[in-house]
Amino acid sequence: MPTARFLLWGGLVAAAGGALLCVLGWYGISGERFAERQLPYLASCTVPGAALIVAGAVLIGTAALRASARPADSEPPETDLPDPPAPSSDGPPLRVPGGTLAHRPDCPLVADRADAVPAAGDPALAPCPVCEPWPL
């Protein structure tokens, strides 16, 4: 599972970087006596370091959940999708005057149109992507 591995390593790098920033911030703060001189270390090292540690923990947790959700050697689950419905009409294809598509008579694009006429085997017509009248 490359995604879980990527999340795990990304989380470890983020947590390690955050820990390093926290240590640098602590070292900078420890050498300053006055609070106003400690604030830059808090703003630039300690707070972002803590945020990186939290983000790393979230990434590591997500990687653990993804890895435990499905064993690495198992195949993806089979989906039980129903077969597409068979066309409900086998009549001749229809077209709209000036149109470039051939439609089944029950196609929702031409079903309620009074101006739809038989396509009469015009080879220049493309099949409708909604009802797919070929082969008839």
Side-chain angles (χ1 to χ4, degrees):
M1 298 182 77
T3 304
R5 188 175 305 141
F6 176 73
L7 289 172
L8 175 66
W9 283 104
L12 289 173
V13 167
L20 179 66
L21 281 176
C22 285
V23 168
L24 289 174
W26 170 80
Y27 182 75
I29 288 174
S30 68
E32 299 295 337
R33 180 175 176 186
F34 300 107
E36 61 271 3
R37 296 194 61 177
Q38 294 175 357
L39 287 177
Y41 293 105
L42 282 174
S44 63
C45 290
T46 308
V47 173
L52 278 174
I53 290 174
V54 170
V58 169
L59 289 174
I60 291 170
T62 303
L65 286 175
R66 284 186 179 236
S68 67
R70 183 174 55 144
D73 58 345
S74 69
E75 293 186 17
E78 295 292 326
T79 57
D80 295 330
L81 296 176
D83 292 332
S88 60
S89 67
D90 291 328
L94 298 177
R95 70 178 293 175
V96 178
T100 59
L101 299 175
H103 305 271
R104 289 187 185 272
D106 62 341
C107 179
L109 300 176
V110 296
D112 296 328
R113 295 198 52 168
D115 60 342
V117 295
D122 187 359
L125 295 177
C128 171
V130 176
C131 64
E132 299 176 347
W134 312 128
L136 284 178

